[in-house]
Amino acid sequence: MTLSDMKEFLKVDDTADDANITALMTAAEAHIRGAVTNFMAYYGSDDDFTSLADTVEKLMVLELYDKPLAVVEANYSYPIRSMLAQLQYWKAAD
């Protein structure tokens, strides 16, 4: 995922927050990679897995970007936790 993709998702037009958004993207991706044992086996080779992982990253960054203290206090939202669990139990298509 590129910074440009993330900024489009966040609806951010200027460059003032580029460093912050990049840091949040790095943290979200690291969180997903660390939480999903088979991440490297499926990311980039399974389109559905990759799309879901990218969506989780976007939503994590959105939550951290919009309400950093709320996320820290309450953990990630249910949709993020649910999609992350799907990634953790991902099985290759037969």
Side-chain angles (χ1 to χ4, degrees):
M1 169 147 357
T2 67
L3 175 61
S4 177
D5 293 335
M6 186 62 72
K7 287 175 64 173
E8 182 178 334
F9 177 75
L10 296 173
K11 297 182 180 6
V12 173
D13 294 327
D14 59 30
T15 60
D17 276 349
D18 282 6
N20 184 37
I21 294 169
T22 299
L24 293 173
M25 288 173 62
T26 300
E29 183 180 338
H31 182 109
I32 297 165
R33 272 195 332 264
V36 179
T37 304
N38 58 1
F39 183 86
M40 296 309 291
Y42 295 120
Y43 192 84
S45 63
D46 183 316
D47 291 340
D48 291 336
F49 183 94
T50 301
S51 178
L52 184 58
D54 286 348
T55 299
V56 172
E57 181 179 343
K58 286 177 181 177
L59 293 174
M60 285 178 154
V61 170
L62 175 64
E63 285 192 9
L64 292 169
Y65 186 72
D66 280 348
K67 302 173 190 169
L69 295 178
V71 172
V72 169
E73 292 172 7
N75 221 335
Y76 286 112
S77 65
Y78 176 78
I80 290 174
R81 293 189 321 259
S82 176
M83 287 186 278
L84 192 55
Q86 281 184 295
L87 292 171
Q88 290 169 330
Y89 294 106
W90 196 270
K91 300 286 187 215
D94 293 334

